[in-house]
Amino acid sequence: MQIAVDLVSWLFLSMGMFLGLTGAYGILKFPDFYTRVHAASISDTLCTACFVIGLALQSGFNLVTAKLFMILILLWLTGPAASHALVRAANTAGLKPVTEKKD
Amino acid sequence: MLLCEQQTPRGLNQLPRKKTEMELAVNITLLLMLCATVFAVVKLQSLFAIVMLFGIYSLLSAMIFVALDAVDVAFTEAAVGAGISTVLMLATLVTTGRWKKKPERSGLLPLFVVTITGAALVWGTLDMPEYGNPANPAHHHVADRYIAESPTEIGIPNMVTSVLASYRGFDTLGEVIVVFTALVGVLSLLQVRRPRTFARKQDNRPDTHRRRPYPVLQVVALIMMPFIIVFALYVQFHGDFGPGGGFQAGVIFAVAFILYTLTYGLDDSLALTPLPALKILAAGGVIIYGGTGVVSMLLGGNFLDYNVLAANPVSGQHIGIIVIELGVGITVASVLITVFYAFVTRAERNRAGEKQVDLPNKAD
Amino acid sequence: MDSIFTDILAGALGRYNYWVVIVLMMAGFYVVIASTNLVKKIVGLNIFQTSVFIMYISIGKISGGTAPIVWANAELYSNPLPHVLILTAIVVGVATTALGLSLIMRIKHAYGSVEEDEILALSQAEDEDE
């Protein structure tokens, strides 16, 4: 039973790690600001969710789990709002998305 | 001095070795990241990027403080350095512009001065006792007494709070007065004013159409605010048992109103927290702190000697610490909110163009 | 030979924190004296200040110790005194930073610039006019 929980937990943790790395790679590689924010918001939401679920499985069912899920709710509320604020500010400032591929 | 000799320090070899090695690895990695951030700050020309990197620098140092067991300090650094300082610097950039020019002055002389000073300091560290050794003189004298006696003498688990509020209560009173004085300085340099009051007087259109619509951000801010305030109160009153206390709670409380100002504008948040009230609260916190000292004097003790505040010295200490932490929290929160309002007023004036906003001022 | 090497390594590891603090401190110092922009100077001062905080907290750390909050299983606590000093210093630091930044805004208002050399040139020109 413990091994099964550990396995699922590690699956979630490595999934989170993969998504975090993907987000970081996207921030570095994507062509313009809007696509980079899109990449960053992956690590804001799904990546943290995977980490929290993985850690919650590790801690068992206690106060720590409750705290972890509170943190998750907080991040799900603030992360997308922050991405929204960034994109909105860029749009207001007149930044145009790249629509054509440059050679 | 006597205490120093009585204590027999634990040798390094008795410590759990694996844990210290892990700590060392985390420590070294974080410090290297800190160095990388600082070199980016030195190199970059965009002030906006510099300020954001400074926020990262503060967060990284907060992580180092956690690794070095200073949880209270980490809490304060994360809230103050990464939060408030960054916000204040960004507000300054709105006024001053976000690009700096290339330095005209040659970098060689400063580099020379810095290298010589650094080399002298490194030479100085060779005489310093090794990091983390329990036998180091810094860990003895009064520190031993605080660790051994404060749980029974003051009766609260968080030693940092005991030392901050009780043993070194004078010191903390001084710091609170410095924070208050900084507010006086900022308010004598910048003014706080409702940016749209004059415009509204001129044409009697309703105020609502002027508000910039940020529906998503405003709703999220409204959802967040109660939680931030409840968390601030938790940090304020739980500071005796865990990391926290008046300084941290004050900063978190201020953050709630800064968030409100950022999403709803200065007009609305000045209606929520009027400037005269903030000024009274900032002074009131200092008075609560100093007043506790005077009360303890009137009850026959020394200044800030909380033992006399109740029949039992330990519960006297509890009452004293809660009251003065409240004073600290009130002062820090209202000072930071007012400073932020002053910065935003200046930024709004800049945005609206000096002429427009200055005109009504000249009329009256 | 081996023991000399381990001695040097142990000595270096024992002072690693202090050396990094010195590097950070000097980087902050360099920004303060080499940069002409006043906002960047304030950032440099803050970097300098935070490096001093790290110095104090490093001195307060005891290897194998825990945070100084009474806890049943703890054997050894790190030194709470530097924590107290730095905690208050951080809040005072933000208060003084706020004061410095508001001075910069007034300077911008008065001279229309936050570059040190331009401000000096302008104030010299003003002196000559008088």
Side-chain angles (χ1 to χ4, degrees):
Chain A
M1 184 58 201
Q2 189 55 44
I3 292 174
V5 170
D6 270 356
L7 263 179
V8 177
S9 154
W10 280 109
L11 197 71
F12 272 108
L13 286 177
S14 29
M15 187 72 189
M17 210 148 73
F18 171 73
L19 287 169
L21 286 173
T22 321
Y25 185 74
I27 292 171
L28 291 173
K29 280 288 166 190
F30 275 156
D32 75 336
F33 178 79
Y34 296 98
T35 42
R36 282 184 203 149
V37 170
H38 156 75
S41 55
I42 288 180
S43 25
D44 263 2
T45 47
L46 195 56
C47 163
T48 45
C50 285
F51 273 125
V52 166
I53 293 170
L55 290 174
L57 286 171
Q58 281 289 318
S59 76
F61 191 74
N62 54 21
L63 190 63
V64 178
T65 327
K67 283 182 183 170
L68 279 170
F69 278 99
M70 295 274 276
I71 292 171
L72 183 63
I73 291 169
L74 182 86
L75 286 174
W76 272 4
L77 202 60
T78 53
S83 305
H84 168 82
L86 273 175
V87 170
R88 202 190 155 103
N91 192 36
T92 313
L95 186 70
K96 292 274 178 289
V98 176
T99 47
E100 283 170 37
K101 195 175 176 185
K102 276 182 203 160
D103 292 314
Chain B
M1 282 311 245
L2 274 174
L3 276 167
C4 177
E5 281 142 28
Q6 280 160 7
Q7 292 274 335
T8 43
R10 222 177 299 245
L12 263 174
N13 48 358
Q14 282 166 279
L15 297 168
R17 214 176 144 67
K18 203 172 175 192
K19 196 187 161 202
T20 46
E21 274 169 6
M22 273 290 284
E23 278 177 1
L24 197 67
V26 170
N27 203 355
I28 288 175
T29 319
L30 287 176
L31 285 170
L32 283 178
M33 285 165 80
L34 212 54
C35 287
T37 318
V38 166
F39 284 119
V41 169
V42 173
K43 275 277 144 208
L44 281 173
Q45 296 296 316
S46 159
L47 289 172
F48 186 76
I50 288 173
V51 168
M52 292 325 281
L53 276 172
F54 175 70
I56 291 173
Y57 174 82
S58 285
L59 262 186
L60 277 174
S61 51
M63 284 160 80
I64 289 173
F65 292 150
V66 174
L68 296 177
D69 296 342
V71 279
D72 280 275
V73 182
F75 202 163
T76 319
E77 177 70 34
V80 170
I84 302 278
S85 292
T86 313
V87 166
L88 291 183
M89 284 177 188
L90 287 178
T92 314
L93 289 191
V94 177
T95 310
T96 60
R98 60 165 67 175
W99 288 93
K100 101 186 249 299
K101 295 186 305 180
K102 283 268 176 196
E104 274 105 57
R105 129 184 8 167
S106 148
L108 282 179
L109 181 65
L111 200 63
F112 178 72
V113 172
V114 163
T115 317
I116 296 292
T117 321
L121 287 173
V122 169
W123 184 56
T125 57
L126 297 180
D127 278 346
M128 277 183 74
E130 208 165 86
Y131 156 80
N133 190 343
N136 287 351
H139 305 312
H140 300 290
H141 309 290
V142 286
D144 282 327
R145 186 172 180 284
Y146 291 153
I147 292 173
E149 304 287 330
S150 77
T152 49
E153 221 170 26
I154 313 287
I156 60 173
N158 189 350
M159 294 173 202
V160 176
T161 306
S162 308
V163 179
L164 180 92
S166 188
Y167 292 111
R168 298 187 66 87
F170 260 150
D171 205 4
T172 312
L173 177 60
E175 312 278 11
V176 174
I177 292 172
V178 169
V179 172
F180 178 72
T181 315
L183 172 71
V184 176
V186 170
L187 283 185
S188 55
L189 289 167
L190 305 171
Q191 60 179 161
V192 178
R193 199 164 51 176
R194 303 181 68 157
R196 269 163 272 173
T197 322
F198 300 108
R200 204 188 312 154
K201 267 180 197 161
Q202 282 167 358
D203 50 0
N204 282 320
R205 279 180 293 177
D207 188 36
T208 43
H209 78 285
R210 291 174 181 278
R211 188 176 294 154
R212 286 163 296 169
Y214 291 135
V216 175
L217 298 181
Q218 285 177 343
V219 168
V220 170
L222 268 198
I223 297 172
M224 294 297 298
M225 261 188 76
F227 291 105
I228 297 176
I229 291 173
V230 167
F231 184 60
L233 291 174
Y234 167 78
V235 170
Q236 171 83 49
F237 295 109
H238 198 260
D240 300 0
F241 306 98
F247 285 106
Q248 294 95 323
V251 172
I252 295 169
F253 205 81
V255 164
F257 288 92
I258 288 176
L259 181 65
Y260 190 79
T261 317
L262 285 175
T263 47
Y264 282 83
L266 188 57
D267 237 5
D268 285 12
S269 62
L270 269 177
L272 192 67
T273 49
L275 186 64
L278 285 173
K279 284 180 183 166
I280 291 169
L281 281 174
V286 180
I287 290 170
I288 289 174
Y289 199 140
T292 315
V294 174
V295 167
S296 61
M297 271 170 87
L298 291 177
L299 288 172
N302 288 322
F303 187 69
L304 292 174
D305 174 9
Y306 313 133
N307 282 347
V308 293
L309 290 178
N312 179 358
V314 173
S315 39
Q317 289 284 348
H318 282 224
I319 294 170
I321 288 174
I322 285 180
V323 172
I324 66 121
E325 288 272 19
L326 193 65
V328 171
I330 291 172
T331 299
V332 170
S334 37
V335 165
L336 290 179
I337 294 171
T338 318
V339 166
F340 182 70
Y341 286 174
F343 277 49
V344 172
T345 307
R346 170 57 61 167
E348 292 263 359
R349 278 179 76 165
N350 208 51
R351 209 168 54 99
E354 287 288 341
K355 240 192 228 163
Q356 268 182 9
V357 189
D358 265 340
L359 275 175
N361 201 16
K362 279 172 194 160
D364 58 42
Chain C
M1 194 60 199
D2 193 41
S3 77
I4 294 171
F5 180 71
T6 45
D7 275 1
I8 291 172
L9 188 68
L13 282 181
R15 285 168 189 82
Y16 175 77
N17 275 37
Y18 306 143
W19 292 345
V20 172
V21 164
I22 289 168
V23 169
L24 298 176
M25 195 185 270
M26 288 304 114
F29 186 37
Y30 178 81
V31 171
V32 172
I33 57 179
S35 169
T36 49
N37 187 291
L38 296 177
V39 179
K40 195 169 175 184
K41 270 181 201 280
I42 292 270
V43 173
L45 270 178
N46 269 299
I47 287 172
F48 192 105
Q49 181 183 339
T50 311
S51 78
V52 177
F53 297 163
I54 298 173
M55 176 87 170
Y56 264 69
I57 300 298
S58 302
I59 291 174
K61 167 74 179 168
I62 298 179
S63 298
T66 56
I69 296 171
V70 175
W71 177 51
N73 298 337
E75 295 171 6
L76 190 64
Y77 297 111
S78 284
N79 190 348
L81 188 56
H83 300 184
V84 174
L85 301 179
I86 296 312
L87 200 160
T88 47
I90 290 174
V91 179
V92 170
V94 74
T96 49
T97 304
L99 195 59
L101 291 173
S102 43
L103 274 171
I104 290 176
M105 287 201 232
R106 294 302 297 190
I107 289 171
K108 170 79 180 172
H109 185 66
Y111 291 97
S113 168
V114 288
E115 301 284 335
E116 200 186 40
D117 41 358
E118 287 176 13
I119 295 163
L120 283 174
L122 276 171
S123 64
Q124 268 169 4
E126 268 176 23
D127 286 348
E128 279 160 18
D129 284 349
E130 278 166 16

